Amino acid sequence: MTNAQASLAHLYRVFTKPEGQDSKLAQIERHLSDNLADFLSRHVVASNRSLEDIEQDFNQSLIPEQPQFVSEHAEQLLDKLVAHSVNTYSPRFIGHMTSALPYFHLSLAKLLVGLNQNLVKIETSKAFTPLERQVLGMIHRLVYKHDDSFYQQYLHNANRSLGSFCSGGTIANISALWVARNRLFAPRGQFRGISQDGLLAGMQEYGYQKLSVITSRRGHYSLGKAVDVLGLGRQSLLTLPCPNQTLDPQLALKEGQAILAQGGKVMALIALAGTTETGHIDPLDELADVAAELGCHLHVDAAWGGATLFSRRYGGLLKGIERADSVTLDAHKQMYVPMGAGMVLFKDPDAGNQVRHHAQYILRQGSKDLGATSLEGSRNGMAMMLYASLHILGRNGYELLIDQSIEKAKAFAAMIEAHPHFQLTTSPVLCLLTYRYVPQAVQERLLVEPQLANSLHPLLDELTVAIQKHQRESGHSFVSRTRLETQDYPQQAINVFRVVLANPLTSADDLTEILAEQHRLAVTLPQFRQVMEALG
Amino acid sequence: MTNAQASLAHLYRVFTKPEGQDSKLAQIERHLSDNLADFLSRHVVASNRSLEDIEQDFNQSLIPEQPQFVSEHAEQLLDKLVAHSVNTYSPRFIGHMTSALPYFHLSLAKLLVGLNQNLVKIETSKAFTPLERQVLGMIHRLVYKHDDSFYQQYLHNANRSLGSFCSGGTIANISALWVARNRLFAPRGQFRGISQDGLLAGMQEYGYQKLSVITSRRGHYSLGKAVDVLGLGRQSLLTLPCPNQTLDPQLALKEGQAILAQGGKVMALIALAGTTETGHIDPLDELADVAAELGCHLHVDAAWGGATLFSRRYGGLLKGIERADSVTLDAHKQMYVPMGAGMVLFKDPDAGNQVRHHAQYILRQGSKDLGATSLEGSRNGMAMMLYASLHILGRNGYELLIDQSIEKAKAFAAMIEAHPHFQLTTSPVLCLLTYRYVPQAVQERLLVEPQLANSLHPLLDELTVAIQKHQRESGHSFVSRTRLETQDYPQQAINVFRVVLANPLTSADDLTEILAEQHRLAVTLPQFRQVMEALG
């Protein structure tokens, strides 16, 4: 056999011949299926190898010339990649919004790739298109609570859309504001609408002096990207102070009216239902009144908190969300679906037509191709993952997950408050909270000499950063950190630990141990000594 | 056990207990692994059930209240969803850019979900971040051919970026034009740049009367979305006629100069390297000269054709691509990676800084978080799929795939030309071609009475639509269709069949049978009789 023939044989093999039962890949698959926690704890090594060191394993810019055997490559993936990944399944990984997932997603992921559908058009997805529309309808109904006849009318309507699936909350937020912008600058007279004629012509036609979007300082960073991409510019995004972590409707109204008084226009008010940093929920119902008063689009970024609607006990925290013109939700957050399952929903099934587009070979007029109103083009069938989850867990199951997460966060908050060396900085509304390590001696001293705060805060900030870094590097547990103003320190942003208690596998013992580890770590750090020395 | 306890037990089970070896999901997995083609041919039923009928299976808008057993749900997925999906793996599914994939992706998909990393930040991805940067570097080097020292300097540089992974070519194209727009309206004087101050202020500062983007009529529909989203408006996109399927550099230059002469500015020239409809490649080197002459950004949309660079024989078709300021490439097309692996690359490693953004809890200054310069936020680790493919297939393997696809398309073109009842409408440059069914009697008559074309074309158009629809519905094979101007009919768009011969499993027999099926189908159709009657 010549080299070329050998290469060709190898090539056809990878397309047509499965790896054997004893192959490395088959072993990996079995281990994943049999015991994911064990697979991860064996293969993800909790080393403190630095990123710069890991980069040495990924420093080849030349594509290898010759093919490699699958099993050989699988070994390398385990050694180089899996070993130095992050164990997001771990019950002590409570720093970000990525958590353990139900087991069945492993199998569904394989099915998804086996089917390899493209949901941009029916010709490459068929049943996946109605399935995705149904899932969008289910989530739409969770939010907007219309009756059967509404969904019968719109669920599979070729000329309407209840929303779009997309890769995540960022694309969902951009999509929502894109629709809001295009609707604001509708065609009239000679002006063919902003979609055709652009922002400059739109501003001239409508005579606005400036265009603004209002949200709080807790608004997700994707909102800044959205106004940048959409041509408004980041200065058009007013991020109002919110020391108590929620947007004050009076302040939003006042600022909005000031813009109108100057000849400006408020394009959208963005309320947050579960801020990324603290999990707080803006007063949606009152902000809906503000949006009505200002005559602007109300968008609710519920990427994190939307799933709270599954809970009868806590769903009421989102009262008013049904008044939003658009809502962002991420199924890969509190719906426990793998990464890549964002959604944007529109109250008005006609809203998506603001961005409808066609092509000659797909998305033709009258087709039900999902790509006709989405920002993305080709997409995979992630909607199947959410469809399966909604059925296998049921509303009931999701409710239990949501309730347990929130109650766990409240229990952790109580543990922090009871601990002599920690201070709660924001209380949990959903399952997020923030806190700080403040040695008891410092707490006591600040009670009697509050003016010391100015000199102590920068040192406590450094201590927080150092603890978080060392804890992350030690690899046993993980909390994240952020910097924000709080009710106690409204004028001065402070560094805090941030935890997200969404992993159903996290136990009270895990939480106790995380605090214990942080305390053990803290007292060994030079930043700790600096804080204590500053006490004099 | 109470109901609540039972629900809770079910809930924890799905997070912690794998399905048994005899479970339905395990059976599905084994079938996928053992013989994907057999799984698909058994479960994807080639029924002619209408979409409206399938929608009846997906018409529930209420989320089910109670949990369902995994195996029960898996059965339903097979019956309702898989049965009515599209068999994109089939060698006779040659209508779109979705093809059979190497087997190892099934296992990797499972690993990806098991790891569930989020690549927006290192804290939830670690080794995946350097891996993704390496993959971007490899593809960057494939396109731009810099030397080792360049990649040593930039591959893992926190303040630079060679590009971004994203969900697909649409987001890649939008990202590229976002960077182009922001670079054009750079800060100067009081103006803080378009990213901060917006498009209106930018146009005023720079004094442009209008802003344009130039491409050909074969430009992908995502380009229209891009100029819409970015605030330029769809009218700013000049889609120049290209009856020979490639953009004429002289025409592009002339149109660009006309815009400049009117006080306008050309923001970008977009050249196509593998048009979606016919696979043609614009003269990139000459268009790079035009872009230089017009002083504008050159973007090459090589979503489809970029992989041709793996081939020593055909890579030269993309000569000049290394002069592009930005390039779009989709690994889920001719790199045979599952859906969701788009990339945008930038010649200048500083370009991504035009859209750099930060947050308090991630993407901090100086971090290597990939999310700091990407349009999307949270993303999964699809880069692993391409990394594995680049190693397992090697450049050599990809070259074979590319060469074979193109040669297969040439062979199919010859079959069409030799067939009495078919006409080739565009010849393959890459592995795409278009053709029509034109009964021999019609072909002969048109040779002597060309003026009959005007009355016959609309009837042939209807026949084309009818054949394509019936073929698709019969479920044995699939070609797509589009509508375009060709060299023979430069003034008049005609309907044509469109095929993409990227599936390595497609044989000459498959192609022979597809033509035979189309011919068998055609003669039974009323649209065929209408054509023949029009001959008189």
Side-chain angles (χ1 to χ4, degrees):
Chain A
M1 211 157 53
T2 65
N3 275 350
Q5 283 171 327
S7 297
L8 196 61
H10 170 80
L11 196 64
Y12 274 78
R13 215 189 111 76
V14 301
F15 278 89
T16 55
K17 287 270 185 304
E19 295 293 301
Q21 282 302 309
D22 297 328
S23 69
K24 191 72 207 174
L25 266 190
Q27 288 170 28
I28 291 173
E29 278 205 47
R30 273 198 301 277
H31 201 169
L32 287 166
S33 289
D34 291 348
N35 195 334
L36 179 57
D38 185 68
F39 174 87
L40 293 170
S41 70
R42 276 173 201 256
H43 289 289
V44 177
V45 298
S47 81
N48 54 5
R49 212 175 146 198
S50 72
L51 183 62
E52 286 65 28
D53 193 25
I54 295 170
E55 285 169 355
Q56 295 310 309
D57 283 344
F58 299 99
N59 63 358
Q60 297 300 316
S61 56
L62 262 184
I63 295 164
E65 190 65 14
Q66 296 303 330
Q68 185 179 30
F69 284 109
V70 175
S71 282
E72 189 187 330
H73 188 69
E75 287 279 7
Q76 289 180 12
L77 284 180
L78 285 182
D79 292 346
K80 289 170 148 192
L81 183 68
V82 178
H84 303 288
S85 295
V86 176
N87 187 346
T88 60
Y89 185 91
S90 159
R92 294 189 185 178
F93 178 91
I94 57 167
H96 283 301
M97 292 173 162
T98 323
S99 139
L101 301 177
Y103 254 98
F104 59 81
H105 284 307
L106 292 172
S107 308
L108 293 184
K110 205 167 152 181
L111 180 60
L112 201 67
V113 166
L115 295 172
N116 202 34
Q117 308 288 288
N118 179 354
L119 274 76
V120 72
K121 53 190 180 292
I122 286 171
E123 286 180 348
T124 50
S125 65
K126 215 167 168 186
F128 270 79
T129 292
L131 173 136
E132 184 167 300
R133 281 185 183 263
Q134 174 178 342
V135 173
L136 286 167
M138 282 178 158
I139 304 297
H140 193 279
R141 189 164 184 170
L142 183 70
V143 170
Y144 290 107
K145 303 177 186 71
H146 288 297
D147 61 9
D148 264 332
S149 68
F150 176 90
Y151 294 100
Q152 274 164 33
Q153 189 174 354
Y154 296 116
L155 203 61
H156 297 293
N157 192 314
N159 304 309
R160 299 291 190 282
S161 146
L162 299 175
S164 284
F165 253 82
C166 56
S167 67
T170 295
I171 298 297
N173 282 338
I174 295 174
S175 300
L177 293 178
W178 183 26
V179 164
R181 190 201 66 180
N182 284 14
R183 187 181 252 183
L184 182 60
F185 294 99
R188 69 180 193 192
Q190 300 291 305
F191 176 65
R192 289 161 294 189
I194 187 171
S195 171
Q196 287 297 324
D197 288 344
L199 182 59
L200 184 61
M203 293 288 277
Q204 286 165 349
E205 170 67 27
Y206 280 83
Y208 301 137
Q209 297 303 305
K210 66 183 260 192
L211 207 55
S212 298
V213 174
I214 299 177
T215 191
S216 87
R217 283 205 190 151
R218 291 291 86 78
H220 189 254
Y221 66 88
S222 61
L223 303 175
K225 278 200 264 191
V227 291
D228 179 345
V229 170
L230 291 167
L232 279 68
R234 288 167 182 267
Q235 294 293 327
S236 72
L237 184 68
L238 254 75
T239 55
L240 302 178
C242 55
N244 68 356
Q245 313 307 329
T246 60
L247 181 54
D248 174 2
Q250 290 308 314
L251 180 63
L253 181 62
K254 196 185 104 205
E255 294 289 337
Q257 284 172 334
I259 290 160
L260 302 184
Q262 293 156 29
K265 176 73 189 170
V266 180
M267 185 180 101
L269 175 63
I270 301 172
L272 313 172
T275 69
T276 317
E277 292 171 274
T278 69
H280 281 69
I281 298 169
D282 285 339
L284 306 183
D285 216 19
E286 290 164 86
L287 289 171
D289 291 337
V290 173
E293 184 78 22
L294 298 174
C296 74
H297 183 106
L298 177 67
H299 176 63
V300 174
D301 183 348
W304 179 257
T308 312
L309 293 166
F310 289 122
S311 164
R312 283 163 298 190
R313 184 177 301 172
Y314 297 106
L317 293 170
L318 276 72
K319 183 170 177 295
I321 193 171
E322 69 283 356
R323 297 173 66 192
D325 295 293
S326 55
V327 173
T328 287
L329 263 140
D330 273 343
H332 55 244
K333 295 195 168 97
Q334 288 195 97
M335 296 190 199
Y336 301 90
V337 156
M339 200 57 57
M343 284 170 280
V344 59
L345 302 168
F346 295 104
K347 182 166 69 181
D348 176 1
D350 201 35
N353 289 328
Q354 296 294 338
V355 298
R356 186 174 286 274
H357 46 270
H358 299 284
Q360 288 292 353
Y361 67 107
I362 52 166
L363 317 181
R364 300 180 190 101
Q365 291 279 0
S367 85
K368 290 183 175 178
D369 292 343
L370 291 165
T373 55
S374 66
L375 180 58
E376 289 171 289
S378 296
R379 286 185 300 109
N380 71 8
M382 278 300 298
M384 177 181 80
M385 310 305 234
L386 181 53
Y387 178 84
S389 288
L390 289 169
H391 284 87
I392 293 171
L393 300 176
R395 192 206 54 78
N396 232 311
Y398 274 120
E399 176 175 53
L400 272 170
L401 286 169
I402 294 291
D403 289 357
Q404 294 220 334
S405 295
I406 295 177
E407 281 145 29
K408 200 182 294 172
K410 289 182 173 171
F412 190 41
M415 283 164 66
I416 291 164
E417 290 192 307
H419 197 292
H421 301 297
F422 288 95
Q423 277 186 335
L424 192 67
T425 45
T426 61
S427 297
V429 175
L430 300 178
C431 66
L432 278 78
L433 60 81
T434 65
Y435 65 107
R436 275 212 297 185
Y437 181 81
V438 187
Q440 188 171 19
V442 177
Q443 294 186 37
E444 286 166 359
R445 187 71 168 278
L446 281 171
L447 278 178
V448 290
E449 290 179 73
Q451 72 280 11
L452 273 181
N454 287 340
S455 57
L456 282 170
H457 273 314
L459 297 174
L460 288 168
D461 283 349
E462 286 174 30
L463 180 57
T464 305
V465 172
I467 295 170
Q468 194 264 351
K469 183 166 175 283
H470 281 81
Q471 188 178 13
R472 170 167 56 83
E473 288 174 355
S474 80
H476 305 301
S477 57
F478 173 73
V479 305
S480 59
R481 66 175 166 91
T482 191
R483 185 170 174 79
L484 42 74
E485 302 86 13
T486 66
Q487 217 147 7
D488 288 341
Y489 303 104
Q491 304 298 335
Q492 181 179 19
I494 56 172
N495 287 348
V496 296
F497 302 126
R498 163 179 172 268
V499 300
V500 183
L501 291 163
N503 190 335
L505 309 180
T506 304
S507 68
D509 283 351
D510 291 319
L511 299 174
T512 306
E513 175 50 28
I514 282 168
L515 291 185
E517 187 188 0
Q518 290 187 314
H519 179 53
R520 281 197 306 271
L521 255 172
V523 296
T524 68
L525 295 171
Q527 290 85 355
F528 175 81
R529 284 198 302 277
Q530 283 169 354
V531 169
M532 299 311 279
E533 280 163 16
L535 284 185
Chain B
M1 215 157 48
T2 65
N3 276 350
Q5 282 170 327
S7 298
L8 197 60
H10 171 79
L11 198 63
Y12 274 77
R13 214 188 112 75
V14 300
F15 278 88
T16 54
K17 288 268 185 305
E19 295 293 302
Q21 281 304 309
D22 297 329
S23 68
K24 191 72 207 172
L25 266 190
Q27 287 170 28
I28 291 173
E29 279 205 48
R30 273 199 300 277
H31 201 169
L32 287 165
S33 288
D34 291 347
N35 194 334
L36 179 56
D38 186 69
F39 174 88
L40 294 170
S41 69
R42 277 173 199 255
H43 289 288
V44 178
V45 297
S47 81
N48 53 6
R49 214 176 145 197
S50 73
L51 182 63
E52 286 64 30
D53 193 24
I54 296 170
E55 285 168 355
Q56 295 309 308
D57 284 344
F58 299 100
N59 64 358
Q60 297 300 316
S61 56
L62 262 184
I63 295 163
E65 189 65 15
Q66 296 303 330
Q68 186 179 28
F69 285 108
V70 175
S71 282
E72 189 186 329
H73 188 69
E75 288 278 9
Q76 289 180 13
L77 283 181
L78 285 182
D79 293 346
K80 290 169 145 193
L81 183 67
V82 178
H84 304 288
S85 295
V86 177
N87 187 347
T88 61
Y89 185 91
S90 160
R92 295 190 184 179
F93 178 91
I94 56 167
H96 283 302
M97 293 172 161
T98 322
S99 140
L101 301 177
Y103 254 98
F104 58 81
H105 284 308
L106 292 172
S107 308
L108 293 184
K110 205 168 152 180
L111 179 61
L112 200 67
V113 166
L115 294 172
N116 203 33
Q117 308 287 288
N118 180 353
L119 275 75
V120 71
K121 53 190 180 292
I122 285 171
E123 286 180 348
T124 50
S125 66
K126 215 166 169 188
F128 270 78
T129 291
L131 174 137
E132 184 166 301
R133 281 185 182 263
Q134 174 179 344
V135 174
L136 286 166
M138 283 178 157
I139 303 298
H140 193 278
R141 188 163 184 171
L142 183 70
V143 170
Y144 289 108
K145 302 177 187 70
H146 289 298
D147 61 9
D148 264 332
S149 68
F150 177 90
Y151 295 101
Q152 274 165 32
Q153 189 174 354
Y154 294 117
L155 203 61
H156 297 293
N157 192 313
N159 304 310
R160 299 290 189 281
S161 146
L162 299 175
S164 284
F165 253 81
C166 56
S167 67
T170 295
I171 299 297
N173 282 339
I174 295 173
S175 300
L177 293 178
W178 183 24
V179 164
R181 190 201 65 182
N182 284 15
R183 187 182 252 184
L184 182 60
F185 294 100
R188 69 179 195 192
Q190 300 291 305
F191 177 64
R192 289 161 292 190
I194 188 173
S195 170
Q196 287 298 325
D197 287 345
L199 181 59
L200 184 60
M203 292 289 276
Q204 286 166 350
E205 170 67 27
Y206 282 81
Y208 300 136
Q209 296 304 304
K210 66 183 259 191
L211 206 55
S212 297
V213 174
I214 299 177
T215 190
S216 87
R217 282 205 191 151
R218 291 291 86 77
H220 189 253
Y221 66 88
S222 61
L223 302 176
K225 277 199 266 191
V227 292
D228 179 344
V229 170
L230 292 168
L232 278 70
R234 288 166 181 267
Q235 294 294 326
S236 71
L237 184 69
L238 253 75
T239 55
L240 302 179
C242 55
N244 67 356
Q245 312 308 329
T246 60
L247 181 54
D248 174 3
Q250 290 309 314
L251 180 63
L253 181 63
K254 197 186 104 200
E255 294 288 338
Q257 284 172 333
I259 290 160
L260 301 184
Q262 293 156 29
K265 175 74 190 169
V266 180
M267 185 180 102
L269 174 63
I270 301 172
L272 313 172
T275 69
T276 316
E277 291 171 274
T278 69
H280 280 68
I281 298 169
D282 285 339
L284 305 183
D285 215 20
E286 290 165 86
L287 288 171
D289 291 338
V290 173
E293 183 77 23
L294 298 174
C296 74
H297 183 106
L298 176 67
H299 176 63
V300 174
D301 183 350
W304 180 258
T308 313
L309 293 166
F310 289 121
S311 164
R312 283 163 297 189
R313 183 176 301 170
Y314 297 107
L317 292 170
L318 275 72
K319 182 170 178 294
I321 193 170
E322 69 283 356
R323 298 174 65 189
D325 295 293
S326 56
V327 172
T328 287
L329 263 140
D330 273 344
H332 55 245
K333 294 194 168 97
Q334 288 196 97
M335 297 189 199
Y336 300 91
V337 155
M339 199 58 56
M343 283 169 282
V344 60
L345 302 168
F346 294 104
K347 181 165 67 181
D348 176 0
D350 201 35
N353 290 329
Q354 297 294 337
V355 298
R356 186 173 285 275
H357 46 270
H358 300 282
Q360 288 291 353
Y361 66 108
I362 52 167
L363 316 182
R364 300 181 190 99
Q365 291 278 3
S367 85
K368 291 183 174 179
D369 293 343
L370 291 164
T373 54
S374 66
L375 180 58
E376 289 172 289
S378 296
R379 287 185 301 109
N380 71 8
M382 278 302 297
M384 177 181 80
M385 309 307 233
L386 181 52
Y387 178 85
S389 289
L390 289 170
H391 285 86
I392 293 171
L393 300 177
R395 192 206 54 78
N396 232 313
Y398 274 119
E399 175 175 54
L400 271 169
L401 286 169
I402 294 291
D403 288 357
Q404 293 221 336
S405 295
I406 296 176
E407 281 144 30
K408 199 181 295 171
K410 290 183 173 171
F412 191 41
M415 284 165 64
I416 291 164
E417 289 192 309
H419 196 295
H421 300 298
F422 288 96
Q423 278 186 336
L424 193 67
T425 46
T426 61
S427 296
V429 175
L430 299 179
C431 66
L432 279 78
L433 60 81
T434 65
Y435 65 107
R436 274 212 297 187
Y437 181 80
V438 186
Q440 188 171 18
V442 177
Q443 295 186 36
E444 287 167 358
R445 187 69 170 278
L446 281 170
L447 279 178
V448 290
E449 291 179 73
Q451 71 281 10
L452 273 182
N454 286 340
S455 57
L456 282 170
H457 274 315
L459 297 174
L460 288 168
D461 283 348
E462 284 174 31
L463 179 56
T464 305
V465 172
I467 295 171
Q468 194 264 351
K469 182 166 176 281
H470 280 82
Q471 188 178 13
R472 169 166 58 83
E473 286 174 356
S474 80
H476 305 300
S477 58
F478 173 73
V479 305
S480 59
R481 67 175 165 90
T482 191
R483 185 169 173 80
L484 41 76
E485 302 85 12
T486 66
Q487 218 148 7
D488 289 340
Y489 303 105
Q491 304 298 334
Q492 182 180 20
I494 56 171
N495 287 349
V496 296
F497 303 125
R498 163 179 172 267
V499 300
V500 184
L501 291 164
N503 190 336
L505 309 180
T506 304
S507 67
D509 283 351
D510 291 319
L511 300 175
T512 307
E513 175 49 28
I514 283 169
L515 291 185
E517 187 188 0
Q518 290 187 315
H519 179 53
R520 282 198 306 271
L521 254 172
V523 296
T524 67
L525 296 170
Q527 290 83 357
F528 176 81
R529 284 197 304 279
Q530 284 171 355
V531 169
M532 299 310 280
E533 281 164 16
L535 284 186

